[in-house]
Amino acid sequence: MSSIEEVLREVLPEVIPGEELVRKAKKAEEELRRRLDSALSNYPDIEYRFLGSYARDTWLPESLEIDVFLLFPEHYSFEELERIGIEVGKSVVDSYEMRYAAHPYVHGLVAGVEVDVVPCYRLKSPERIKSAVDRTPFHHEWLKDRIRGKENDVRLLKRFLKAGNLYGAEFKVRGFSGYLCELLVVFYGSFENLVRNATRWRREMVIDVENGKIEVKKGQQSLFVVDPVDRKRNVAANLSVDNFARFVERCRLFIENPSPEFFRTASRAVDVDRLREELEGRFVYAVSFERPPIVEDNLYTQLERAERRIRKVLEDNEFRVLRSGHHAGERCYLLFETTAGELSKVKKHYGPKIESYENSMRFLRKNREYERFFEDGRYVTYRRRKLRRAEQVIEHAIATQYESMGKDLSDYIRDGSVHSGEEILSLHELLEFLTEFLGVRE
Amino acid sequence: MSSIEEVLREVLPEVIPGEELVRKAKKAEEELRRRLDSALSNYPDIEYRFLGSYARDTWLPESLEIDVFLLFPEHYSFEELERIGIEVGKSVVDSYEMRYAAHPYVHGLVAGVEVDVVPCYRLKSPERIKSAVDRTPFHHEWLKDRIRGKENDVRLLKRFLKAGNLYGAEFKVRGFSGYLCELLVVFYGSFENLVRNATRWRREMVIDVENGKIEVKKGQQSLFVVDPVDRKRNVAANLSVDNFARFVERCRLFIENPSPEFFRTASRAVDVDRLREELEGRFVYAVSFERPPIVEDNLYTQLERAERRIRKVLEDNEFRVLRSGHHAGERCYLLFETTAGELSKVKKHYGPKIESYENSMRFLRKNREYERFFEDGRYVTYRRRKLRRAEQVIEHAIATQYESMGKDLSDYIRDGSVHSGEEILSLHELLEFLTEFLGVRE
């Protein structure tokens, strides 16, 4: 077993960008500066600034991306900001596509390096921000000196998270944002110290980075990391409770048995025979449908919504759901596993308590399919169950409720199909996710 | 539709004993008195008294039984009371069998009429009673003058209850005792007035017969009828909540649509084809076993116990039990219906919350059959379910827990057998009960 220092020494070269890559980035940066100077010559009051991980030298070699922000004075309207932002963006990159955050912005290439050109307002104080991107300059101001000397700790942390599928605050991941990583390194001083401390993290913790202290708030349901530039804001707001738990577990496992594997992404092997064996005797259902052309954050929140909705219909129909999940690849998938595959043709229907004369008489007149009986003084009878199989329930949920399964998703789900048992094995791009979903060990 | 008066006029002759039967009873009574006078000549301090429904003329023609009590002075020991009670009892009847209440007592025939000869203590006050039978003389004293003129109302009530399978406080029925019937008629003045009022009964009621008033006790779970000879005692203690409800319902139905049928016992028609059709697609299981030679009250309380125990094991194994029941005929039966017949080969196993470091590490070391995951920050994994079918669970419950299914029952249950689905139709004497259990309408 290696020590932590040995492991970190071994993986450090893997997380630090090589000389050649740095040179390439530098060249792109210089070219971008030239183009921006020229493009903004007509707008003397708009300033550009390099922000984000590139500017602070905390980027990973596999994800070089230069973020440049165009800072507009407040007198510009939203429409002007958008229009000029896009116009300038397009003019400074070699090839571009439009992306969407708070505003649309330009993503493109400069000298072979990926670049984001994001317009925002230049404000006096973060209290006046109009959208999330306006906060970024303040984040950079707060971090830029404090992170100096700890850049490689940030890189180690990011890679440690990436390998555990915990990096990124977007809805697809619900993990740790780059900004959160840097704040945690500032707070704990080093990657190693963060990881050692995180083994004892609790959901009740409030990490106050600015004041260098931790408070415990009884009853708090998930970690709160106070944003130094906006103390009401939780930087870890989008970290799911289960990813919080995965991170804490990962830190413990790393401390107890340090290894470079914690910094290397391994894709799971799929063993189709093992999956087939596992599906036999379990009740697993997949809904598959065409992937709608919407941005990822919208896609994943709507997948979550559709999953919850179908899960609720299963539960309303008395199916216990062991687990549900969603996955997006070329197509989209929702997965459900239930305790039973088929239920009785009757279900209980509860009526009034005997004390209620009028409701009791109404119950007697109405419920005549089966004989009534009492449970603890309350009327009960049986009714025929219309949907006996879990698969039927899912099909019924889709057919009748697709409209409430996410506005951009609904039509796609309606045209989707439900697979059960072995049929699921034909959904090749789902099988890695399925392996994890079923809890199959390697 | 007939009026209530018309119906009562029609059924009255059916509930009043005919002249011939009364003559037969009178002859038996006189013969019994002669024999008792002679048998007790050696025990001048033991007195006999005719108590119960025969003595108060509230008996139904189909259940003529003369209760005679032997009242012992308190200086007799329990053993003497038992020994002499049995000796005298045996000597005054033509043929006898032993029966058991608080003490053993003699049941036999005198001139073709059934007779109970029950020994008890003669006490000054009901506060000093040693066992339930010692209370009977006080009950008789309290009732005998008050019930005069209302005997036929008591008879109507008893038959009304019998036809609804609600008559008798024994564990087999958990309904209304004869004493309770008489108290209720005293309280409400007539059968009709009782029935009219009972349509609005609530479980929170305390009926104080002696003081002629009703109180409401918030939160009380079942009807309380204060015993005039022992105010702490609830005469309706053994009336189950569901039989309470059935009675209230029966009163409402009678008031809304009076008919002689409410006083006539109809046995349910069994339609085997209908049952077969119903069992198809439902998950119904019967345990059948030899009937142990114990008194009914013991049998039924132990059947209830065994039923509860197996039900709990089903629930512990994640089977939802729609309904369970028991029946005793030539053999004994337990019935269970579940929502599902077969469950997934895996079940969830919950571990510690992520906050507990040591328990988490122990969980990781121990649970290696399936991959772990998190639910709301808590460890979960799957384990193989050993018993996937409800039938297996019942068999397992019996094989491993028969000892806690009633001390006189356990060996019989252990040697019993479990039937499912159509097999149950071969249990002929169960089919009437099964019809009701399944909620099959006529």
Side-chain angles (χ1 to χ4, degrees):
Chain A
M1 197 178 109
S2 326
S3 71
I4 293 175
E5 299 90 273
E6 281 165 0
V7 169
L8 297 187
R9 206 175 312 128
E10 183 180 338
V11 299
L12 208 48
E14 299 172 21
V15 302
I16 300 179
E19 274 178 46
E20 202 175 328
L21 185 59
V22 172
R23 241 190 328 269
K24 183 181 170 190
K26 202 73 201 158
K27 265 181 69 179
E29 181 194 333
E30 283 158 11
E31 175 61 23
L32 182 54
R33 282 187 193 277
R34 265 194 300 278
R35 295 183 187 178
L36 284 163
D37 289 336
S38 142
L40 290 174
S41 57
N42 296 329
Y43 303 101
D45 54 357
I46 303 177
E47 173 195 1
Y48 68 86
R49 235 181 261 171
F50 285 74
L51 306 176
S53 64
Y54 177 75
R56 293 191 295 277
D57 202 23
T58 55
W59 50 288
L60 286 173
E62 69 273 23
S63 38
L64 167 57
E65 190 174 74
I66 299 179
D67 293 323
V68 66
F69 277 61
L70 307 177
L71 281 75
F72 288 65
E74 285 186 74
H75 66 77
Y76 280 88
S77 71
F78 265 115
E79 292 67 30
E80 286 172 309
L81 177 142
E82 259 187 47
R83 184 180 54 76
I84 301 167
I86 293 169
E87 174 203 306
V88 172
K90 285 182 185 177
S91 73
V92 297
V93 297
D94 299 333
S95 69
Y96 78 93
E97 59 185 55
M98 294 306 302
R99 291 196 177 168
Y100 301 85
H103 323 287
Y105 66 91
V106 169
H107 175 85
L109 285 176
V110 172
V113 172
E114 298 201 50
V115 170
D116 280 339
V117 185
V118 183
C120 72
Y121 285 106
R122 178 175 57 236
L123 304 167
K124 294 250 162 11
S125 133
E127 274 120 62
R128 307 194 45 177
I129 66 156
K130 296 165 203 231
S131 74
V133 288
D134 302 340
R135 213 184 271 115
T136 309
F138 294 99
H139 286 166
H140 185 73
E141 276 312 301
W142 198 90
L143 276 175
K144 67 179 206 278
D145 296 331
R146 292 179 170 88
I147 205 65
R148 208 161 286 154
K150 302 184 175 75
E151 291 86 350
N152 291 341
D153 287 279
V154 175
R155 288 184 163 111
L156 285 167
L157 173 58
K158 286 181 174 179
R159 179 62 74 69
F160 180 79
L161 291 167
K162 270 183 121 167
N165 197 27
L166 296 167
Y167 183 60
E170 61 270 28
F171 285 99
K172 179 179 178 176
V173 181
R174 290 189 178 275
F176 294 72
S177 68
Y179 178 55
L180 178 56
C181 290
E182 299 196 34
L183 288 182
L184 290 172
V185 167
V186 167
F187 185 82
Y188 285 105
S190 71
F191 170 75
E192 185 180 337
N193 198 38
L194 159 62
V195 165
R196 284 193 186 282
N197 278 280
T199 61
R200 300 281 178 186
W201 271 6
R202 315 183 64 78
R203 277 168 275 184
E204 296 176 327
M205 280 175 28
V206 177
I207 299 182
D208 184 347
V209 182
E210 190 173 18
N211 298 308
K213 67 181 187 200
I214 289 175
E215 281 174 7
V216 169
K217 218 173 194 166
K218 282 274 172 220
Q220 182 177 276
Q221 295 300 304
S222 58
L223 185 70
F224 199 109
V225 178
V226 184
D227 189 343
V229 309
D230 179 355
R231 295 192 52 83
K232 286 196 293 293
R233 182 171 171 264
N234 179 10
V235 184
N238 220 23
L239 174 64
S240 73
V241 169
D242 294 343
N243 279 338
F244 167 85
R246 282 187 200 101
F247 176 67
V248 171
E249 181 195 67
R250 196 169 176 79
C251 291
R252 290 173 184 165
L253 293 175
F254 177 70
I255 295 293
E256 300 225 348
N257 194 5
S259 146
E261 298 313 311
F262 285 92
F263 300 87
R264 290 167 186 163
T265 307
S267 75
R268 285 206 61 149
V270 168
D271 178 342
V272 176
D273 289 333
R274 179 80 181 76
L275 288 177
R276 181 175 293 112
E277 188 190 308
E278 200 51 46
L279 287 171
E280 172 76 35
R282 293 175 67 168
F283 304 106
V284 183
Y285 308 92
V287 181
S288 86
F289 51 96
E290 200 187 316
R291 180 174 178 145
I294 53 174
V295 301
E296 281 208 338
D297 266 10
N298 287 344
L299 178 64
Y300 283 94
T301 46
Q302 292 185 42
L303 285 173
E304 286 174 8
R305 186 187 166 89
E307 177 194 328
R308 265 200 314 274
R309 170 65 60 160
I310 293 177
R311 186 179 179 125
K312 173 140 194 330
V313 176
L314 280 166
E315 286 165 349
D316 289 348
N317 280 274
E318 301 189 275
F319 284 92
R320 282 203 204 110
V321 179
L322 282 171
R323 213 174 166 187
S324 64
H326 58 267
H327 179 71
E330 297 286 313
R331 289 169 63 81
C332 289
Y333 306 91
L334 306 174
L335 268 174
F336 303 91
E337 177 166 13
T338 53
T339 304
E342 186 182 56
L343 300 184
S344 170
K345 73 176 173 194
V346 299
K347 61 178 174 184
K348 271 188 180 168
H349 171 71
Y350 286 92
K353 288 187 180 170
I354 188 64
E355 276 84 355
S356 171
Y357 194 140
E358 284 67 31
N359 291 334
S360 293
M361 296 313 288
R362 197 173 311 128
F363 179 86
L364 291 185
R365 279 191 297 274
K366 265 176 55 180
N367 291 281
R368 312 190 66 84
E369 202 175 2
Y370 281 95
E371 200 56 86
R372 68 206 177 266
F373 53 99
F374 288 101
E375 256 182 41
D376 200 27
R378 187 174 173 188
Y379 275 107
V380 196
T381 188
Y382 290 125
R383 285 191 177 168
R384 290 277 174 153
R385 190 188 297 276
K386 284 187 196 77
L387 307 165
R388 291 189 58 196
R389 289 184 300 110
E391 200 175 345
Q392 292 174 318
V393 173
I394 295 172
E395 281 163 357
H396 176 80
I398 292 171
T400 57
Q401 299 191 31
Y402 66 92
E403 280 173 323
S404 50
M405 294 183 185
K407 68 177 164 47
D408 305 306
L409 231 57
S410 52
D411 289 346
Y412 294 84
I413 291 186
R414 187 195 51 205
D415 297 337
S417 47
V418 181
H419 313 257
S420 71
E422 273 205 37
E423 291 166 38
I424 298 172
L425 298 177
S426 67
L427 308 171
H428 299 293
E429 61 168 348
L430 183 63
L431 301 189
E432 190 177 335
F433 181 73
L434 180 69
T435 303
E436 194 209 308
F437 184 82
L438 295 176
V440 171
R441 288 184 72 94
E442 273 169 292
Chain B
M1 197 177 110
S2 326
S3 70
I4 293 175
E5 299 90 89
E6 280 164 1
V7 169
L8 298 187
R9 207 177 310 130
E10 182 178 339
V11 298
L12 208 49
E14 299 172 21
V15 302
I16 300 178
E19 274 177 47
E20 202 175 329
L21 185 58
V22 172
R23 242 190 327 270
K24 184 182 171 189
K26 203 72 200 158
K27 265 181 69 180
E29 180 194 333
E30 283 157 12
E31 174 60 22
L32 182 54
R33 282 187 193 278
R34 265 193 300 279
R35 294 182 188 177
L36 284 163
D37 289 336
S38 140
L40 290 174
S41 58
N42 295 329
Y43 304 102
D45 54 356
I46 303 176
E47 172 197 359
Y48 68 86
R49 234 182 263 169
F50 285 73
L51 306 178
S53 64
Y54 178 75
R56 293 192 295 277
D57 202 24
T58 55
W59 51 286
L60 286 173
E62 70 273 24
S63 39
L64 167 57
E65 191 175 72
I66 300 179
D67 294 323
V68 67
F69 277 61
L70 307 177
L71 281 75
F72 288 67
E74 285 186 75
H75 65 77
Y76 280 87
S77 71
F78 263 116
E79 292 68 28
E80 286 172 309
L81 177 141
E82 259 188 47
R83 185 179 53 74
I84 300 167
I86 293 169
E87 176 202 305
V88 171
K90 285 181 184 176
S91 73
V92 298
V93 297
D94 300 333
S95 68
Y96 78 93
E97 59 184 54
M98 295 306 303
R99 290 197 177 167
Y100 300 85
H103 324 287
Y105 66 91
V106 169
H107 174 87
L109 286 175
V110 172
V113 172
E114 298 201 51
V115 170
D116 281 339
V117 186
V118 183
C120 71
Y121 285 106
R122 179 175 55 236
L123 304 168
K124 294 252 167 358
S125 132
E127 272 121 63
R128 308 195 43 180
I129 66 155
K130 294 162 205 236
S131 75
V133 289
D134 301 341
R135 212 183 272 116
T136 309
F138 294 100
H139 286 168
H140 184 74
E141 277 311 301
W142 197 90
L143 275 175
K144 68 176 204 280
D145 295 331
R146 292 179 171 88
I147 205 66
R148 208 161 289 153
K150 302 185 175 75
E151 291 86 349
N152 291 340
D153 288 279
V154 174
R155 288 182 164 113
L156 285 167
L157 174 58
K158 285 180 174 179
R159 179 62 74 69
F160 180 78
L161 290 166
K162 269 181 121 167
N165 197 26
L166 295 167
Y167 183 61
E170 62 270 27
F171 286 99
K172 179 180 178 174
V173 182
R174 291 189 178 274
F176 293 71
S177 67
Y179 178 55
L180 177 56
C181 290
E182 299 196 31
L183 288 182
L184 290 172
V185 167
V186 168
F187 186 83
Y188 285 105
S190 71
F191 170 75
E192 185 180 336
N193 198 38
L194 159 62
V195 165
R196 285 194 185 282
N197 278 280
T199 61
R200 301 281 179 185
W201 271 6
R202 315 183 65 79
R203 277 168 276 184
E204 296 176 329
M205 281 174 26
V206 177
I207 300 182
D208 184 346
V209 182
E210 190 174 17
N211 298 309
K213 66 181 187 201
I214 290 175
E215 281 174 7
V216 169
K217 219 172 194 167
K218 282 275 170 219
Q220 182 177 274
Q221 294 300 304
S222 58
L223 184 70
F224 199 108
V225 178
V226 183
D227 189 344
V229 310
D230 178 356
R231 296 193 52 84
K232 286 197 291 292
R233 184 171 169 264
N234 178 11
V235 184
N238 220 23
L239 174 64
S240 72
V241 168
D242 293 343
N243 279 337
F244 167 84
R246 281 188 201 101
F247 176 66
V248 171
E249 181 194 67
R250 197 169 175 78
C251 291
R252 289 173 185 165
L253 294 175
F254 177 69
I255 294 294
E256 301 226 348
N257 193 6
S259 146
E261 299 314 311
F262 286 91
F263 300 87
R264 290 168 186 161
T265 306
S267 74
R268 285 206 60 148
V270 169
D271 178 342
V272 176
D273 289 333
R274 180 80 181 75
L275 287 178
R276 180 175 295 110
E277 188 190 307
E278 200 52 46
L279 286 170
E280 172 76 33
R282 294 174 66 169
F283 304 106
V284 183
Y285 308 93
V287 182
S288 87
F289 51 97
E290 200 186 315
R291 180 175 179 145
I294 54 174
V295 301
E296 281 208 337
D297 267 10
N298 287 343
L299 178 64
Y300 282 94
T301 46
Q302 292 185 41
L303 285 172
E304 287 173 8
R305 188 187 165 89
E307 177 194 326
R308 266 201 312 274
R309 170 66 60 160
I310 294 177
R311 187 179 177 125
K312 172 142 196 332
V313 176
L314 280 166
E315 287 166 349
D316 289 347
N317 280 275
E318 302 188 276
F319 283 92
R320 282 202 203 112
V321 179
L322 281 171
R323 212 174 167 188
S324 64
H326 57 267
H327 178 72
E330 297 286 313
R331 289 169 62 80
C332 289
Y333 306 90
L334 305 174
L335 267 174
F336 303 91
E337 177 165 11
T338 53
T339 304
E342 186 181 56
L343 300 184
S344 170
K345 73 177 173 193
V346 299
K347 60 179 173 185
K348 271 188 180 169
H349 171 71
Y350 287 92
K353 288 187 180 171
I354 188 64
E355 275 83 356
S356 171
Y357 194 140
E358 286 66 31
N359 291 334
S360 293
M361 296 313 287
R362 197 173 312 127
F363 180 87
L364 290 184
R365 279 191 296 273
K366 266 175 55 181
N367 291 282
R368 310 191 67 84
E369 202 176 0
Y370 281 95
E371 200 57 84
R372 69 206 176 267
F373 53 99
F374 288 101
E375 256 182 41
D376 199 26
R378 187 174 174 189
Y379 275 107
V380 196
T381 188
Y382 290 125
R383 285 191 177 167
R384 290 278 175 154
R385 189 187 296 275
K386 284 187 196 78
L387 307 165
R388 290 188 58 196
R389 289 184 301 109
E391 199 175 348
Q392 292 175 318
V393 172
I394 296 172
E395 280 163 359
H396 176 80
I398 292 171
T400 58
Q401 300 192 30
Y402 66 92
E403 280 172 323
S404 51
M405 295 183 185
K407 67 177 165 47
D408 306 306
L409 231 58
S410 51
D411 289 346
Y412 294 84
I413 290 185
R414 187 195 51 206
D415 297 337
S417 47
V418 181
H419 313 257
S420 70
E422 273 206 35
E423 290 166 40
I424 298 171
L425 298 177
S426 66
L427 308 171
H428 300 292
E429 59 167 349
L430 182 63
L431 301 189
E432 191 178 334
F433 181 73
L434 180 69
T435 303
E436 194 209 308
F437 183 83
L438 295 176
V440 171
R441 288 184 72 94
E442 274 170 294

